[in-house]
Amino acid sequence: MVRRTLGILAGVIASVGGLALASPAAASDPGGGGSWDHTWVSDNGGATLHVMEHGDLVQLCDTKADGMSVHVDVDVAGGGGGYYLQNSAGNGTCVAVSATTAAKYDLPEGKTIDIWLSTSDLYDQVGGSYLNDH
């Protein structure tokens, strides 16, 4: 299972290019795109968040040359963990974390995960949630 997760993460890194790792809740799930289980876009189009449930892979991308960093709060509904992820590297860059990056990114199975995605302009926040069922 770890090899498959590492293989998936390596494929994402290869397809995105200069992917960097960073350290450091809700509306209906918009569904995924491509190989992602879930994808959200901030209201102003400056941030995109992709989630792959298997391996708890979260990729946060800055998609607008506006000088603002992008952020996501990932929380386990009802308590029990979560984290904050930021990308300050600029337009066209992404940061990614997964269960293999560190234990704090390993989200519990069978729990609802709440998401708040935004740029530094807090008026463009987008909330969402999904059931982490695989």
Side-chain angles (χ1 to χ4, degrees):
M1 181 166 185
V2 170
R3 282 188 178 165
R4 181 172 178 208
T5 301
L6 290 175
I8 291 169
L9 183 57
V12 170
I13 291 170
S15 68
V16 171
L19 193 64
L21 294 180
S23 59
S28 64
D29 178 3
S35 62
W36 299 103
D37 294 317
H38 313 280
T39 299
W40 286 271
V41 177
S42 67
D43 284 345
N44 74 358
T48 300
L49 179 72
H50 301 287
V51 175
M52 184 179 302
E53 290 181 37
H54 183 78
D56 300 321
L57 177 61
V58 172
Q59 180 184 36
L60 176 62
C61 299
D62 186 327
T63 54
K64 192 173 187 180
D66 56 9
M68 289 190 259
S69 58
V70 297
H71 319 264
V72 66
D73 283 304
V74 177
D75 295 307
V76 178
Y83 57 89
Y84 173 81
L85 184 63
Q86 179 174 338
N87 178 359
S88 299
N91 182 39
T93 64
C94 298
V95 295
V97 295
S98 71
T100 60
T101 304
K104 70 179 179 179
Y105 303 119
D106 189 7
L107 300 170
E109 303 299 316
K111 297 286 186 172
T112 297
I113 308 301
D114 295 327
I115 300 291
W116 283 109
L117 172 67
S118 69
T119 64
S120 294
D121 175 6
L122 295 180
Y123 295 105
D124 75 304
Q125 284 189 345
V126 172
S129 62
Y130 65 94
L131 178 63
N132 191 30
D133 59 359
H134 53 285

